[in-house]
Amino acid sequence: MQQITEEPPVWATPVDEVLERLGSTREGLTTAEAQRRLDEIGPNRLPAPTPTPWWKRVVAQFQDTLIYILLASAAAKAVLEDWVDFFVILAVAVINAVIGLVQEGRAEKALAGIRTMLSVQADVRRDGGWERVDADALVPGDVVRLRGGDKVPADLRLVGASNLQAEESALTGESVPSSKDVAVVAADAGVGDRSDMVFSGTLVTQGSGRGVVTATGQSTEVGKIQTLVDEVEPLETPLSRQLDAFGKALALLIAVMAVVMVLVGRLVHDFSVPDLVSATIGFAVAAVPEGLPALVTIILALGVQQMARQRAITRHLPAVEALGSVTTICSDKTGTLTKNEMTARSVVTRAASYEVTGIGYAPDGEVRHEGAPALLDDHPDLAALVTAMARCNDAVVRRDDSDGWTLVGVPTDGALRTLALKAAFDDTGWRRVDVAPFDSQTKYMATLDHGPDGDARIFVKGAPDRILDRCSHQRAADGSTEPVDRRWWEEHIDALGGEGLRVLAAAVAVPEPGHETVGDGDVSEGLEIVGLVGIVDPPRPEAVAAIAECRRAGIAVKMITGDHAGTALAIGREMGIVHGSGVGVLTGAELEEMSTSQLRDVVRDVDVYARTSPEHKIRIVSALQHHREVVAMTGDGVNDAPALTQADVGVAMGIKGTEATKEAADVVLADDNFATIERAVEEGRRIYDNVRKSVLFLLPTNGGQSLVMLVAVIFGTTLPLEPVQVLWINMVTAVTLSLALAYEKAEPGIMDRRPRDPRASVVDLAYGWRILVVSVLIGGATLLVFNLAYGAGVPIDEARTAAVTMLALGQLAYLFNTRYLDASSLTPAVLRGNPAIWISAATMVVAQIAFVYLPFMNTWFESAPIGLEVWGYTAALAVAVFLLVEAGKAVDRLRGVHGEIEP
């Protein structure tokens, strides 16, 4: 009983047959029968997912190669009985796990958000009478009564409707309420076209009706979306994939080299076991970049703070970087690219065509003719149209101190009310006598009004074809009345429709003297059409600019909407989404007929997808991901939640977005501004640059240290560094120098780059060579300093202290190389823009001076004081390292090895 599986579906079946199929009548069920079904089917609510045990969630946070490396570093320090550093590194791993636990569970929260959409109570017919029950108690076969303002408690097949309209934008993406009636629709009709159905969680905006429950709980359309969210597997971000692969490769390399060291040291040079163990541990500790996981976490956390200041709230830490990898943005139309506020844009009368400026419900704008303001006193044709649209209207547009201008009523009426305000229409003295409300069958509204002069008028507005059917005359250009020229009006209706506008027509009539009512008989014929109004849900101006900026950055933008194809295509052209020789628009019905491979063939060429369902959105995102596109999906309705979960980055609207959508998203825009996405992408690119700078800094510094140990063992010489000294240089570098890179600002031209290849490693071949070269330069300089000192008869502790100092100063010099990935650092700008660089440098130098001269440091780390001449030549060698690295960067620029940064 829970889900109707018979053919044809309920929306394509006459009411009486649906009732018979459900074992019900128009009088509903008995209480006993309803209880029996409730016991059999279960309550009308979405089931909560089975929670993951806490211990599994904790263990999952440590299942990462970088965390393994971190724990291996801690284990190495424990072997060396360096308990302070052991606990510090272990604390980093625990903090990483805590952050993961806090950010985890967006799918579960999304389901909870969707569950809140079910209404609390419903009017249901039981035992021949109406009673108020909890919506949880509804079962298939119950007959439910609906009125304006009600939230629909379950999926219902209408058995009766009077002027019924429902707001379904959260489910279908349509910006205007859907008219409802009992007439059957086609079996293949999409959710947005099932006019004889109302759906759980949607809102009745006007009218009344009755319906029989056809689905409850998880079998409703909202419940099906829950299932889709639940089934989608969250994807790793490009950075997490790259770092994971990089970590595995690095761990394997360290293990291989450690084995080589042990074999060579034992078999070739006959090292004692204690010395060999000490050297191997020193090598491993030197090679493992234990600061990298913590540094990446810090960089991402700082990015979260920066994005929050730009009105983008990040719910999932790695999503900060993933935004910088985006190659395609798939955006919902209603409320995301557009304002979700219907706006009159064009007015057509027999005398002239008018342009209406301004967007939304705020009366900021005017009516213009040939570039000049059109005053009602100077344009009687316009005055007649505005009067009809303003009087035949139940909407109220008012200013709210917190939300600006808000609408109470139907969006189309709101657009016409705002049009009247822009035209400075004054309805003082007008009085409504009677009204025939809008009816979805007749598709018009009519009012009988008395004007300031006491004359009675009938005003009618509605669908232009229905209005024209009732008109015999038209308001002529000179203000007189003449026979209607239907072909002329139809041409203008088609022209407005071709621009993606929803068209309404207005007509007037003079009632018989003393007439006090208005009904269908009063407006069935003989009306005088006065004009047309073209209405649209307007694009956000800032979104148009943001789309252009995204295209400049090499990011494709695609619109996925539940709206009609013509409207969607027109908005797409206006926003700059539709361009070139692409396919243009693809409808949900056309997509339904395509196989997965066929969709993959065209998905990158299509700019606009119209009349789509949640399943379609997931297919589109998946098809793009098949081409290794990194996809960001934006949306605000429940119908967007599954696709947001499927996408690499889900972006929800914070103001008009549903709770389910916000919980499913990685990023929530606090200002509902598409332009914020563009700024977030720029921030993501900056963050990725900083992560890569951190890798390019830490690996050569670790490489130089490990190279010193490796060369000593391979050639059987005295170890230039003790393991405890390796720990010192790692600690002072990780705590000071590397942290400064987290605060680097965006490099010039960062949005002129093409999106990076998500398949590429975080360190490509060219950067790999740089890491190797810098490792050799720093390691070679350290070996040179040690061997010169030790060979000259300097005590071993002093020679090793000189080697540690060389490592520290060499890494400091290389830090300035790393501030610019490819551009030259031989510029005064390298000394500006990041105060953290100088704070870190000063901290490191002070710490190194303490390492050299403080007696307790000499005891702990086996160091010894050195003379000023040692500081002098180690500093000179550090400058030499800086200049040689800059020479290598210059060669790379000449060869163009980093083409991705070119515009």
Side-chain angles (χ1 to χ4, degrees):
M1 300 295 294
Q2 176 91 0
Q3 183 173 1
I4 306 305
T5 57
E6 294 87 346
E7 294 292 342
V10 288
W11 55 86
T13 305
V15 171
D16 290 336
E17 292 183 25
V18 173
L19 289 168
E20 182 180 356
R21 184 187 300 174
L22 291 167
S24 184
T25 68
R26 293 176 185 267
E27 293 299 308
L29 303 173
T30 65
T31 300
E33 175 61 16
Q35 185 61 49
R36 186 192 68 78
R37 296 187 183 194
L38 186 63
D39 293 339
E40 177 185 337
I41 296 170
N44 174 34
R45 58 172 174 259
L46 301 179
T50 303
T52 303
W54 68 268
W55 62 269
K56 285 188 177 180
R57 296 174 59 202
V58 171
V59 170
Q61 301 308 315
F62 293 93
Q63 294 176 353
D64 180 89
T65 304
L66 283 176
I67 299 300
Y68 296 155
I69 296 177
L70 201 63
L71 295 176
S73 301
K77 291 180 183 292
V79 170
L80 294 171
E81 298 184 354
D82 189 348
W83 299 113
V84 174
D85 286 344
F86 167 77
F87 286 114
V88 168
I89 294 179
L90 197 62
V92 170
V94 171
I95 290 171
N96 221 38
V98 170
I99 291 173
L101 287 170
V102 170
Q103 298 291 341
E104 188 186 63
R106 68 174 184 226
E108 290 85 349
K109 291 181 180 179
L111 304 186
I114 293 175
R115 286 196 294 274
T116 64
M117 297 192 67
L118 289 177
S119 61
V120 178
Q121 290 189 314
D123 287 332
V124 62
R125 194 162 184 82
R126 298 267 176 86
D127 298 323
W130 291 102
E131 57 182 275
R132 192 83 167 161
V133 302
D134 288 341
D136 284 4
L138 291 179
V139 295
D142 268 328
V143 174
V144 175
R145 180 171 60 188
L146 299 172
R147 285 171 287 202
D150 286 347
K151 186 176 280 189
V152 181
D155 284 4
L156 310 177
R157 169 64 164 92
L158 293 173
V159 300
S162 175
N163 302 323
L164 186 65
Q165 291 190 8
E167 164 58 53
E168 298 177 340
S169 63
L171 191 63
T172 66
E174 295 235 27
S175 53
V176 235
S178 301
S179 298
K180 300 294 182 178
D181 55 54
V182 300
V184 298
V185 297
D188 60 353
V191 172
D193 295 319
R194 297 172 194 170
S195 56
D196 58 345
M197 297 283 296
V198 287
F199 302 103
S200 176
T202 61
L203 185 69
V204 177
T205 56
Q206 73 174 44
S208 60
R210 295 185 187 183
V212 59
V213 175
T214 59
T216 59
Q218 203 162 10
S219 295
T220 62
E221 291 298 323
V222 170
K224 293 174 184 176
I225 291 176
Q226 180 211 35
T227 303
L228 289 174
V229 174
D230 198 20
E231 290 174 351
V232 170
E233 290 291 334
L235 298 178
E236 290 182 306
T237 68
L239 179 63
S240 63
R241 289 194 296 264
Q242 292 167 2
L243 287 180
D244 185 57
F246 172 73
K248 290 176 181 177
L250 184 61
L252 179 62
L253 178 62
I254 291 172
V256 170
M257 295 307 296
V259 170
V260 171
M261 282 183 63
V262 170
L263 293 176
V264 172
R266 186 63 180 166
L267 300 178
V268 177
H269 302 295
D270 197 26
F271 273 41
S272 67
V273 172
D275 288 345
L276 195 55
V277 169
S278 179
T280 305
I281 290 176
F283 168 77
V285 171
V288 172
E290 64 265 33
L292 184 58
L295 185 58
V296 169
T297 300
I298 290 169
I299 291 172
L300 295 180
L302 291 173
V304 167
Q305 296 175 9
Q306 179 64 25
M307 287 178 64
R309 286 192 284 269
Q310 297 182 5
R311 312 290 289 166
I313 311 302
T314 304
R315 300 184 60 254
H316 190 206
L317 203 60
V320 183
E321 174 276 330
L323 271 169
S325 315
V326 164
T327 60
T328 301
I329 299 176
C330 295
S331 177
D332 180 49
K333 177 181 77 71
T334 305
T336 306
L337 295 172
T338 62
K339 289 181 66 67
N340 201 16
E341 296 180 357
M342 299 301 290
T343 302
R345 177 167 287 179
S346 298
V347 174
V348 175
T349 69
R350 278 292 283 180
S353 294
Y354 301 88
E355 174 193 5
V356 186
T357 63
I359 59 176
Y361 298 129
D364 301 327
E366 58 188 1
V367 183
R368 303 180 66 83
H369 176 57
E370 296 181 348
L375 304 179
L376 297 185
D377 290 342
D378 300 331
H379 297 271
D381 59 313
L382 178 63
L385 175 67
V386 170
T387 301
M389 291 299 194
R391 294 305 306 163
C392 190
N393 197 313
D394 287 327
V396 176
V397 175
R398 60 191 178 200
R399 191 178 189 90
D400 188 300
D401 290 338
S402 59
D403 298 328
W405 288 84
T406 58
L407 167 70
V408 178
V410 179
T412 50
D413 278 5
L416 299 173
R417 179 66 68 193
T418 302
L419 169 64
L421 293 173
K422 291 176 181 177
F425 171 70
D426 183 5
D427 65 353
T428 303
W430 282 96
R431 178 174 61 88
R432 178 178 292 184
V433 178
D434 194 26
V435 60
F438 179 86
D439 189 305
S440 58
Q441 297 292 326
T442 60
K443 297 188 181 301
Y444 75 83
M445 174 184 179
T447 62
L448 173 61
D449 292 74
H450 287 176
D453 56 4
D455 291 344
R457 292 287 186 276
I458 292 177
F459 297 114
V460 188
K461 79 167 192 306
D465 56 332
R466 300 297 181 90
I467 298 298
L468 280 173
D469 289 342
R470 298 164 184 268
C471 291
S472 58
H473 295 79
Q474 62 190 23
R475 180 70 56 93
D478 60 4
S480 63
T481 298
E482 63 184 14
V484 66
D485 182 352
R486 185 173 183 122
R487 182 175 179 181
W488 186 92
W489 290 105
E490 287 176 343
E491 287 176 354
H492 283 77
I493 292 167
D494 291 342
L496 292 173
E499 297 174 12
L501 302 179
R502 185 184 183 198
V503 186
L504 294 177
V508 299
V510 179
E512 295 292 332
H515 202 70
E516 296 294 324
T517 61
V518 61
D520 192 63
D522 300 306
V523 296
S524 60
E525 58 183 3
L527 300 181
E528 176 184 292
I529 186 169
V530 294
L532 308 170
V533 177
I535 298 174
V536 69
D537 182 9
R540 295 174 178 269
E542 65 273 15
V544 176
I547 289 169
E549 186 73 9
C550 286
R551 290 205 176 280
R552 187 171 67 85
I555 300 169
V557 179
K558 299 185 183 297
M559 185 167 72
I560 306 177
T561 177
D563 221 330
H564 291 279
T567 302
L569 187 59
I571 292 291
R573 287 198 180 101
E574 186 172 351
M575 302 202 74
I577 292 175
V578 178
H579 67 105
S581 58
V583 176
V585 64
L586 188 69
T587 66
E590 293 168 335
L591 192 151
E592 197 74 45
E593 295 176 357
M594 288 183 171
S595 65
T596 299
S597 60
Q598 289 173 326
L599 177 60
R600 288 172 177 173
D601 289 341
V602 302
V603 68
R604 289 193 289 185
D605 298 323
V606 178
D607 299 310
V608 175
Y609 297 86
R611 305 302 284 169
T612 54
S613 68
E615 294 90 343
H616 296 153
K617 294 179 181 182
I618 291 179
R619 286 190 65 196
I620 293 166
V621 171
S622 298
L624 287 166
Q625 290 170 334
H626 171 76
H627 294 287
R628 299 188 182 276
E629 301 280 348
V630 179
V631 182
M633 174 73 194
T634 73
D636 60 355
V638 177
N639 61 323
D640 298 319
L644 262 61
T645 309
Q646 173 69 38
D648 297 271
V649 185
V651 183
M653 302 297 110
I655 298 174
K656 294 183 178 178
T658 61
E659 287 305 310
T661 312
K662 294 175 191 176
E663 297 294 350
D666 299 291
V667 178
V668 179
L669 304 185
D671 56 2
D672 281 15
N673 191 339
F674 185 87
T676 303
I677 300 175
E678 184 272 328
R679 294 194 296 270
V681 168
E682 180 176 355
E683 180 65 15
R685 290 188 174 190
R686 182 190 73 85
I687 288 166
Y688 183 79
D689 276 358
N690 288 352
V691 169
R692 189 156 57 171
K693 288 174 184 178
S694 300
V695 173
L696 286 176
F697 174 74
L698 285 176
L699 290 190
T701 55
N702 283 95
Q705 298 166 34
S706 58
L707 186 64
V708 168
M709 305 297 287
L710 181 64
V711 168
V713 172
I714 294 297
F715 289 96
T717 62
T718 304
L719 290 179
L721 302 170
E722 288 287 349
V724 71
Q725 293 170 341
V726 173
L727 289 172
W728 162 258
I729 199 66
N730 276 359
M731 181 177 67
V732 74
T733 301
V735 171
T736 58
L737 301 185
S738 60
L739 187 60
L741 294 172
Y743 296 89
E744 283 293 309
K745 296 180 179 179
E747 293 189 24
I750 195 170
M751 289 301 285
D752 292 331
R753 306 175 184 174
R754 296 189 300 270
R756 73 176 189 272
D757 185 351
R759 295 168 294 181
S761 169
V762 68
V763 178
D764 61 21
L765 182 60
Y767 287 133
W769 277 109
R770 183 183 300 178
I771 289 170
L772 180 61
V773 169
V774 175
S775 297
V776 170
L777 287 174
I778 294 177
T782 303
L783 287 168
L784 177 63
V785 166
F786 173 78
N787 287 319
L788 286 176
Y790 193 54
V794 171
I796 186 67
D797 287 351
E798 191 174 329
R800 284 172 171 165
T801 302
V804 172
T805 303
M806 181 65 246
L807 281 173
L809 296 182
Q811 292 177 14
L812 176 58
Y814 180 57
L815 179 68
F816 287 91
N817 295 119
T818 315
R819 288 201 64 195
Y820 297 110
L821 285 170
D822 301 290
S824 174
S825 294
L826 289 170
T827 169
V830 80
L831 305 177
R832 303 189 300 266
N834 185 359
I837 289 287
W838 292 107
I839 296 172
S840 298
T843 303
M844 190 278 292
V845 170
V846 169
Q848 186 61 24
I849 290 173
F851 173 86
V852 173
Y853 296 110
L854 292 182
F856 73 90
M857 296 289 277
N858 297 156
T859 302
W860 289 356
F861 293 100
E862 301 179 35
S863 59
I866 57 175
L868 289 179
E869 72 281 0
V870 178
W871 285 98
Y873 66 73
T874 52
L877 283 172
V879 172
V881 168
F882 173 82
L883 294 175
L884 288 171
V885 173
E886 285 305 308
K889 287 166 65 176
V891 172
D892 285 346
R893 288 195 298 275
L894 290 174
R895 294 168 54 208
V897 295
H898 298 299
E900 72 163 345
I901 69 168
E902 297 174 359

